[in-house]
Amino acid sequence: MNAPQPKSWIMDIAPYVPGRSTSDSGAPVVKLSSNENPLGTSPQAEAAFVAHVGDLARYPDAGAAVLREAIAAHHELDPARVIYGTGSDEILHLIAGAYAGPGDEVIQVRYGFAVYEIATRRVGATLVIADDRDHATDVDAILAAVTDRTRIVFVANPNNPTGTYAPAREIARLHAGLPPHVMLVLDQAYAEYLLPEEDDGGLELARTQANVLVTRTFSKIHGLAAERIGWGYGSAHAIAAMHRIRAPFCCTTAGQEAAVAALGAADFIAASREHNRVWRAWFNDEIAKLGNAGLRAVPSAANFVLVLFDGAVSAETAYKALMERGYIVRWLPGQGLGNGLRITIGTEKETRGVMAALREIVA
Ligand SMILES: *Cc1c(COP(=O)(O)O)cnc(C)c1O
């Protein structure tokens, strides 16, 4: 063993598998595998992005002052307590890096976002899985999994890959049941798809509680996935810890400006939310009609639906057959969902198309 060796816990990490964007044959495909906004991004964000082509030689604002002010104004937060990163993925790594290490435990739900496991293992901590309740977050199971060694609980709400949603009273109960030394990370990547009355109370907890961090992203409803802009809100102490380990220039200039403009694109956000509600409802109704073929949609509050296959046609067969017909969806055997396909709600044409293909496949 003369060659340098990576830490043992690093080699135990299963590499992240992104949603595919090309088919096996290389033929053009409809990509419904990464929960991107089918309407693209707002004209405001696009204009802000192209306006910064003259700034390529300069480093971006390391303090992201304009972006932090805009986020704080939009959500009535303290700009000094907004952390930002290369996607919210980076924020998830920062919180793990600041609060967990070898010997510590980090809890996630059984069907959780894949980055939590990577962020946990990266720092040498131990991942603890809390059982689900029919694919949904089970607060009692999470609380039962807490030990003296627990440092972080990761909960995405709505959750990915299940789409399930825990209402405000459940999130409040989860927080109330956690010991104060445990950091509750509420990943709200899909929060903008909820109606205001469906707010899970996470930001209010983050405003007032030392052990709550909320994360958000510009990758989903704002349609800026290519620019990698995420943010988080927590106590001044937690934010100060994360700043010490983040990449100094983590958010590009054009990305910061596009994100600021995106926050102001209220019409685009509302139209995206409405489009998603209409076509998710239609999608669910159509899946219900395929119940006799063993298909079932897990109730979703996000911009995708997890479809379970318990009939003659398996999820794997359907995944491959959809690919042949030009639709890439997400099959997640690596996350314990060998019987499920996660399908992003696309444009009307894409959504009708993937459903027609599914009907053919299970007929
Ligand atoms: C998409 C997603 C994110 C992060 O996306 P970024 O592009 O890194 O901001 C975080 N959490 C969940 C649950 C997601 O689905």
Side-chain angles (χ1 to χ4, degrees), residues 87-89 113 156 160 187 189-190 217 219-220 228:
S88 52
D89 286 353
F113 183 47
N160 174 14
D187 177 343
Y190 301 96
T217 181
S219 301
K220 302 289 159 62
R228 317 299 308 120

Short mmCIF file of all heavy atoms in Angstrom, two decimals, residues 87-89 113 156 160 187 189-190 217 219-220 228, ligand 1:
data_model
loop_
_atom_site.label_atom_id
_atom_site.label_comp_id
_atom_site.label_asym_id
_atom_site.label_seq_id
_atom_site.Cartn_x
_atom_site.Cartn_y
_atom_site.Cartn_z
N GLY A 87 -25.55 25.40 -5.89
CA GLY A 87 -26.73 24.57 -5.72
C GLY A 87 -26.97 24.35 -4.24
O GLY A 87 -26.07 24.55 -3.41
N SER A 88 -28.20 23.94 -3.89
CA SER A 88 -28.40 23.64 -2.47
C SER A 88 -27.63 22.38 -2.09
O SER A 88 -27.38 22.12 -0.92
CB SER A 88 -29.88 23.55 -2.12
OG SER A 88 -30.56 22.68 -2.96
N ASP A 89 -27.22 21.60 -3.08
CA ASP A 89 -26.35 20.46 -2.78
C ASP A 89 -25.15 20.88 -1.95
O ASP A 89 -24.75 20.19 -1.01
CB ASP A 89 -25.84 19.81 -4.09
CG ASP A 89 -26.92 19.01 -4.80
OD1 ASP A 89 -28.01 18.84 -4.24
OD2 ASP A 89 -26.65 18.56 -5.92
N PHE A 113 -33.37 11.92 -0.32
CA PHE A 113 -32.59 12.50 -1.41
C PHE A 113 -31.16 11.95 -1.34
O PHE A 113 -30.54 11.96 -0.27
CB PHE A 113 -32.61 14.02 -1.26
CG PHE A 113 -31.90 14.76 -2.36
CD1 PHE A 113 -32.11 14.44 -3.70
CD2 PHE A 113 -31.04 15.80 -2.06
CE1 PHE A 113 -31.47 15.14 -4.71
CE2 PHE A 113 -30.39 16.51 -3.06
CZ PHE A 113 -30.60 16.18 -4.39
N ALA A 156 -36.45 16.23 3.44
CA ALA A 156 -36.90 17.03 2.30
C ALA A 156 -38.43 17.09 2.34
O ALA A 156 -39.08 16.08 2.55
CB ALA A 156 -36.44 16.42 0.99
N ASN A 160 -38.10 14.06 -2.08
CA ASN A 160 -37.65 13.51 -3.35
C ASN A 160 -36.90 12.23 -3.02
O ASN A 160 -35.99 12.29 -2.18
CB ASN A 160 -36.72 14.51 -4.04
CG ASN A 160 -36.08 13.98 -5.30
OD1 ASN A 160 -36.49 12.95 -5.82
ND2 ASN A 160 -35.07 14.68 -5.79
N ASP A 187 -35.13 20.55 3.84
CA ASP A 187 -34.77 20.80 2.44
C ASP A 187 -36.06 21.11 1.68
O ASP A 187 -36.88 20.24 1.44
CB ASP A 187 -34.07 19.54 1.91
CG ASP A 187 -33.70 19.63 0.44
OD1 ASP A 187 -34.23 20.49 -0.28
OD2 ASP A 187 -32.87 18.80 0.02
N ALA A 189 -36.54 22.17 -1.48
CA ALA A 189 -36.24 22.36 -2.91
C ALA A 189 -37.51 22.54 -3.75
O ALA A 189 -37.47 23.19 -4.79
CB ALA A 189 -35.43 21.17 -3.44
N TYR A 190 -38.63 21.98 -3.26
CA TYR A 190 -39.88 22.04 -4.03
C TYR A 190 -40.94 22.92 -3.36
O TYR A 190 -42.11 22.86 -3.73
CB TYR A 190 -40.43 20.62 -4.26
CG TYR A 190 -39.43 19.76 -4.98
CD1 TYR A 190 -38.58 18.90 -4.29
CD2 TYR A 190 -39.30 19.84 -6.36
CE1 TYR A 190 -37.63 18.14 -4.95
CE2 TYR A 190 -38.36 19.08 -7.04
CZ TYR A 190 -37.52 18.24 -6.32
OH TYR A 190 -36.58 17.49 -6.98
N THR A 217 -33.58 26.21 -3.41
CA THR A 217 -32.79 26.19 -4.64
C THR A 217 -33.45 27.01 -5.74
O THR A 217 -34.68 27.18 -5.75
CB THR A 217 -32.61 24.74 -5.12
OG1 THR A 217 -31.81 24.75 -6.32
CG2 THR A 217 -33.93 24.05 -5.43
N SER A 219 -32.91 25.87 -8.75
CA SER A 219 -32.85 24.87 -9.82
C SER A 219 -34.21 24.35 -10.24
O SER A 219 -34.34 23.80 -11.33
CB SER A 219 -32.01 23.68 -9.37
OG SER A 219 -30.70 24.06 -9.04
N LYS A 220 -35.20 24.44 -9.38
CA LYS A 220 -36.45 23.76 -9.67
C LYS A 220 -37.47 24.75 -10.24
O LYS A 220 -37.42 25.03 -11.42
CB LYS A 220 -36.92 23.03 -8.41
CG LYS A 220 -35.88 22.01 -7.90
CD LYS A 220 -35.72 20.79 -8.78
CE LYS A 220 -34.42 20.01 -8.62
NZ LYS A 220 -34.13 19.42 -7.33
N ARG A 228 -26.62 26.59 -10.93
CA ARG A 228 -26.19 26.05 -9.64
C ARG A 228 -26.24 27.08 -8.52
O ARG A 228 -25.21 27.44 -7.94
CB ARG A 228 -24.76 25.45 -9.73
CG ARG A 228 -24.46 24.62 -10.95
CD ARG A 228 -25.35 23.39 -11.07
NE ARG A 228 -25.35 22.61 -9.85
CZ ARG A 228 -26.45 22.36 -9.13
NH1 ARG A 228 -27.63 22.83 -9.50
NH2 ARG A 228 -26.38 21.65 -8.04
C1 LIG B 1 -33.05 19.01 -6.75
C2 LIG B 1 -32.91 18.89 -5.27
C3 LIG B 1 -31.96 19.61 -4.54
C4 LIG B 1 -30.88 20.44 -5.07
O1 LIG B 1 -30.67 20.97 -6.09
P1 LIG B 1 -29.52 22.01 -6.43
O2 LIG B 1 -29.63 22.04 -7.90
O3 LIG B 1 -28.23 21.47 -5.93
O4 LIG B 1 -29.89 23.28 -5.77
C5 LIG B 1 -31.92 19.49 -3.18
N1 LIG B 1 -32.78 18.71 -2.54
C6 LIG B 1 -33.70 18.01 -3.18
C7 LIG B 1 -34.63 17.18 -2.39
C8 LIG B 1 -33.80 18.06 -4.56
O5 LIG B 1 -34.68 17.31 -5.19
#
